[in-house]
Amino acid sequence: MGLSRLAALHGVATSYSPSPDVTVSVPDDTVIAVLAALGVDAGTPADVRKCLVAAESRSRLLPPTVVVWAGEPLPPALAGLPPGSTVTVEPEPAETPGHLAGRPPAPLSMRSRAAAPAAPVTRPPGTAPGSGTSASAAPAASPLAAPDTATASAPAWWIPPPHGVHRIHVRTPDHRRATATLIAAPARVPQPPERSHGFLVQLYSLLSARSWGMGDLGDLADLAGWAGRTLGSGFVQVNPLHAAVPGRPTDPSPYRPSSRRFPDPVHLHVESIPEYGHVRDRATLDDLRQDAAALSEAVLNKGALIDRDAVWELKRQALELVVEVPLTPGRRAAYCDFLAEQGQALEDHALWCALAEVHGPDWHTWPEALRDPRSPGTARARAELLDRVDFHCRLAWLTATQLAAAQRSAEDAGMGIGIVHDLAVGVHPAGADTWAQQDAFAPSMSVGAPPDAFNARGQDWGLPPWRPDVLAATGYAAYRGLLRGLLARAGALRIDHVMGLFRLWWVPEGRPPTDGTYVSYDAEAMLAVLALEAHRAGAVVVGEDLGTVEPGVREALARRGVLGTSVLWFERDWEGGGRPLAPEKWRRDCLATATTHDLPSTAARLTGDHVTLRHRLGLLTRSLEEELTEDATDTAEWLALLARLRMLPEGDGDEEAAVRAVHRFLLRTPARMTGVWLPDTVGDRRPQNLPGTWDQYPNWRLPIADPEGHPVTLEEITASPRLHALMEVLRPRKPHTAPPGERRP
């Protein structure tokens, strides 16, 4: 009982329910290990009692982070303050534009009168609003209050602060004091300006005639510009472009990066860098370009897989030459601005990259002095490797500028949203983020998923989780920086496994996933930071909420304007017999698709090819005949519905017609966004990733291909009759024609 109470105080579950009528107890050893990762010693009954006494006797006037939503009642932590308490809201300098211009913000003071009737505004003579002097009641309007934050539901003494992250100071009449981070957030994230369709693509798989062996940011800008102008598309969604852990071989999965904060320069289109044209050693550049052309030739015409390591080796050599070219004054100023904007986070990332070149990609194996980013030894290494640190800072800047160029290309083409970036659920345990932010990650823990109907053994993703207590204590600084960096050059953000904003399945090192447990996060704070940063960027947010979802999560996300993800084959009326869900019953606030990068292509689903693929790889748990029969029954139900709705005029037996019918159905739903898997437009049958495989299948290394498996280039895709026939289904009658560069509200 004591261990359960202690676990509950720290958000650690001692049981979970994989289904409404089943409850599974978590092993005590797991609970003890998870508590230890949170800095709580529960190894013995005596330790548990000691920690319980300490935790239950600790009375906090305020939690470490407090959330205030615009237009909504104050949280209990503030609404329940003792009458007469003085509350001062002090904007943090880094959050205040005025401070950056040399005008430090003034604190906002007020006095709680929660137990007394509202009083008229009074101030001591000679004081002005926001001067830092406590007032007995709030004025009708505060000079710091944004117009949309005023609310009648707040107490009369409360002066709504502007959207942002501030420090709040409280002093009670009995002289107790508290300071906390205050997140003042808009009630909802920005919404799509209109219903729209767009493409979903794994960028590395999209090779053009100019690619260096894999798709790049130049190809992304080209795709967005073409789709917006020619097809009236509203967005292009890509895989995570986070920085990967270097090495041979590099982990090809974009969902296990070294850093989520900074993009990977392997995505650079080298020739688009302004300094490229001024490199003196043209012979070496020409040789590198010929080698890159050979890589593309091997992938496109000889059946080779995308070789990220070979691509990076060529690009690295070219970039070494490019950065030797002096920057023009204007470019130098822009680079300096980028360095100042990114600050310590970029310096740490670049230093990790430089150290990894010398000592290998796993910082746990480095000399002990270098394992601490703040040690004197690391400071000496930084000075010794200054040129390499600057090289990696420069690459981060160049990549960021090309990301921004891709978004501008999308906007100039009339896209209402533009590029939708993807946020992976975690990072590699040996990468740059875990080195630079060691205190923020739970040691000896990995994120995964509990056993369910699809995987009786559960899942271990090999990603260390953030510590919720450290996030709260630091005002979610790491999370804020991560979101701000991603959203700065995006029209929208997709959050992989968005349920992780509420809780994550932690698996102790050395234990199977079945022995994990859920650890809760402060969802109010996580959502508030998300809403704040999305509001600042004017960006839409899409949450990947497929699979097991805790009750209330989808409702909480919808309340904050976060769109969900709906995939056709999973949308069934489970309360009405499990039949395919009629289009009018789909939710409106979602991205509706026929498939994802982890699922079979639509052609493979319709033909049953995905079942035979899994059979060849030995992944089926039943006979091939049983699996094919069940799959064919499922497909037949959907095709019958499409026929009844008159979306399949060509009748059965026409694969391309069936793919078009599936997308007609998606368009019939009220979904705000309709996503088209780009490989579906040319009949590709191969999944980009096959969960449950490692070396049995070439995950994350396949170019987009035609039905026979022959790779196709971006140029061939855009000219494909099959693509244009499919997009006629989705093409708006009147293409979006927003003026170039126009931003949505």
Side-chain angles (χ1 to χ4, degrees):
M1 183 63 71
L3 182 62
S4 296
R5 289 209 319 272
L6 185 62
L9 289 172
H10 292 87
V12 179
T14 54
S15 66
Y16 66 97
S17 298
S19 60
D21 56 343
V22 176
T23 299
V24 178
S25 295
V26 176
D28 285 353
D29 286 351
T30 295
V31 176
I32 292 169
V34 170
L35 286 171
L38 293 170
V40 180
D41 184 1
T44 67
D47 292 329
V48 171
R49 289 193 295 271
K50 179 180 177 181
C51 289
L52 263 178
V53 169
E56 292 177 341
S57 64
R58 191 184 305 123
S59 176
R60 291 187 63 100
L61 186 59
L62 290 178
T65 297
V66 180
V67 172
V68 174
W69 295 99
E72 297 184 13
L74 290 182
L78 294 180
L81 288 173
S85 297
T86 299
V87 180
T88 302
V89 176
E90 179 184 2
E92 287 189 338
E95 301 286 336
T96 308
H99 175 77
L100 299 179
R103 296 184 296 276
L108 188 66
S109 296
M110 60 210 86
R111 177 166 294 167
S112 167
R113 299 178 60 86
V121 177
T122 58
R123 289 192 181 88
T127 61
S131 65
T133 303
S134 300
S136 57
S142 162
L144 289 180
D148 63 344
T149 61
T151 171
S153 60
W157 57 267
W158 175 251
I159 304 174
H163 296 327
V165 178
H166 316 295
R167 297 296 288 171
I168 184 168
H169 308 277
V170 172
R171 185 175 71 249
T172 65
D174 59 356
H175 305 297
R176 287 185 297 157
R177 296 174 180 268
T179 296
T181 299
L182 176 69
I183 302 173
R188 289 168 62 83
V189 304
Q191 298 298 287
E194 58 189 355
R195 286 195 70 189
S196 63
H197 71 265
F199 289 119
L200 320 177
V201 62
Q202 299 282 291
L203 181 56
Y204 58 83
S205 71
L206 182 68
L207 280 75
S208 70
R210 65 181 186 177
S211 300
W212 286 37
M214 62 181 278
D216 58 39
L217 292 171
D219 299 322
L220 176 60
D222 220 20
L223 175 65
W226 169 80
R229 288 186 171 86
T230 305
L231 305 175
S233 300
F235 62 90
V236 174
Q237 177 182 302
V238 295
N239 55 286
L241 304 181
H242 309 319
V245 176
R248 280 189 172 271
T250 299
D251 186 342
S253 172
Y255 291 92
R256 203 164 181 250
S258 168
S259 173
R260 296 187 294 173
R261 175 73 181 265
F262 296 100
D264 198 310
V266 75
H267 299 111
L268 282 168
H269 181 242
V270 180
E271 292 97 323
S272 294
I273 300 171
E275 289 73 38
Y276 178 87
H278 301 281
V279 172
R280 292 187 176 182
D281 189 353
R282 306 309 299 181
T284 299
L285 276 186
D286 289 343
D287 289 344
L288 292 172
R289 289 184 64 181
Q290 288 180 9
D291 291 343
L295 278 181
S296 291
E297 168 72 13
V299 171
L300 295 171
N301 297 314
K302 298 180 181 179
L305 299 175
I306 291 170
D307 187 342
R308 182 192 183 103
D309 296 325
V311 172
W312 173 237
E313 180 57 28
L314 295 178
K315 288 191 176 183
R316 182 193 60 77
Q317 293 180 54
L319 292 167
E320 298 276 6
L321 298 174
V322 168
V323 299
E324 290 178 357
V325 177
L327 294 172
T328 64
R331 294 268 292 166
R332 169 63 62 181
Y335 178 44
C336 290
D337 282 351
F338 180 79
L339 293 175
E341 174 188 288
Q342 301 300 321
Q344 186 69 53
L346 176 58
E347 184 176 335
D348 286 344
H349 175 72
L351 178 56
W352 182 90
C353 293
L355 289 170
E357 292 176 337
V358 178
H359 301 287
D362 185 351
W363 62 267
H364 299 91
T365 66
W366 294 354
E368 188 171 353
L370 300 180
R371 297 175 200 171
D372 178 359
R374 304 292 171 252
S375 73
T378 300
R380 288 192 295 272
R382 180 183 293 108
E384 294 166 359
L385 297 171
L386 192 58
D387 287 346
R388 297 308 297 171
V389 172
D390 183 65
F391 174 71
H392 290 290
C393 285
R394 182 86 70 91
L395 297 193
W397 172 59
L398 293 173
T399 312
T401 60
Q402 289 196 6
L403 285 169
Q407 177 63 13
R408 284 196 303 273
S409 178
E411 293 174 346
D412 291 348
M415 286 189 167
I417 295 175
I419 309 302
V420 183
H421 288 284
D422 198 351
L423 173 61
V425 71
V427 294
H428 196 286
D433 282 2
T434 58
W435 177 73
Q437 304 168 17
Q438 293 175 40
D439 292 343
F441 289 93
S444 303
M445 291 289 149
S446 177
V447 173
D452 56 27
F454 300 100
N455 194 328
R457 291 176 292 185
Q459 300 175 57
D460 183 343
W461 302 332
L463 308 169
W466 262 336
R467 285 181 53 167
D469 56 330
V470 173
L471 286 177
T474 56
Y476 295 82
Y479 178 50
R480 284 188 277 137
L482 168 62
L483 291 177
R484 190 171 300 180
L486 286 169
L487 290 165
R489 298 159 189 92
L493 180 66
R494 174 191 180 269
I495 301 180
D496 191 43
H497 192 70
V498 72
M499 297 81 79
L501 300 182
F502 296 77
R503 65 178 185 178
L504 283 172
W505 184 257
W506 287 24
V507 181
E509 185 178 35
R511 298 177 185 270
T514 50
D515 284 356
T517 189
Y518 281 113
V519 176
S520 296
Y521 292 76
D522 184 344
E524 282 288 286
M526 299 289 275
L527 287 172
V529 172
L530 177 62
L532 175 62
E533 296 301 337
H535 174 79
R536 286 170 163 168
V540 175
V541 179
V542 178
E544 185 271 295
D545 57 352
L546 303 174
T548 302
V549 183
E550 185 182 11
V553 167
R554 287 195 175 104
E555 293 77 8
L557 292 169
R559 182 184 180 193
R560 298 304 170 197
V562 178
L563 305 186
T565 301
S566 293
V567 177
L568 181 129
W569 309 101
F570 301 153
E571 292 296 315
R572 289 179 171 270
D573 183 4
W574 299 112
E575 297 180 358
R579 291 183 296 274
L581 192 65
E584 65 273 10
K585 293 185 178 180
W586 283 42
R587 54 181 169 170
R588 175 175 178 265
D589 295 327
C590 75
L591 165 64
T593 71
T595 189
T596 73
H597 59 268
D598 283 333
L599 296 172
S601 70
T602 304
R605 174 79 69 169
L606 291 167
T607 59
D609 283 5
H610 68 111
V611 178
T612 57
L613 171 62
R614 294 181 67 83
H615 172 68
R616 289 200 306 270
L617 297 176
L619 299 175
L620 299 183
T621 57
R622 298 180 297 174
S623 70
L624 176 61
E625 292 72 20
E626 288 177 293
E627 294 279 357
L628 284 172
T629 299
E630 181 177 296
D631 183 70
T633 300
D634 181 84
T635 301
E637 285 187 305
W638 279 102
L639 291 176
L641 175 59
L642 296 175
R644 286 197 303 274
L645 295 173
R646 299 182 179 180
M647 295 180 180
L648 191 53
E650 300 88 348
D652 291 341
D654 186 331
E655 175 195 306
E656 290 190 44
V659 172
R660 291 195 294 270
V662 163
H663 289 85
R664 286 192 186 99
F665 181 95
L666 294 177
L667 201 63
R668 182 79 65 86
T669 73
R672 304 283 294 274
M673 298 169 66
T674 301
V676 180
W677 179 235
L678 189 61
D680 273 349
T681 66
V682 291
D684 197 345
R685 282 169 161 71
R686 307 172 304 174
Q688 281 295 315
N689 179 50
L690 189 58
T693 63
W694 177 245
D695 56 359
Q696 308 99 312
Y697 186 80
N699 296 317
W700 317 113
R701 289 173 287 171
L702 292 171
I704 297 174
D706 65 17
E708 287 72 43
H710 300 140
V712 289
T713 64
L714 171 60
E715 292 82 1
E716 292 168 331
I717 292 170
T718 59
S720 166
R722 179 166 179 157
L723 177 144
H724 285 280
L726 172 58
M727 297 311 294
E728 277 299 319
V729 171
L730 296 160
R731 190 195 306 269
R733 292 184 181 179
K734 206 169 186 182
H736 177 65
T737 55
E742 180 182 77
R743 299 292 297 184
R744 60 192 174 281

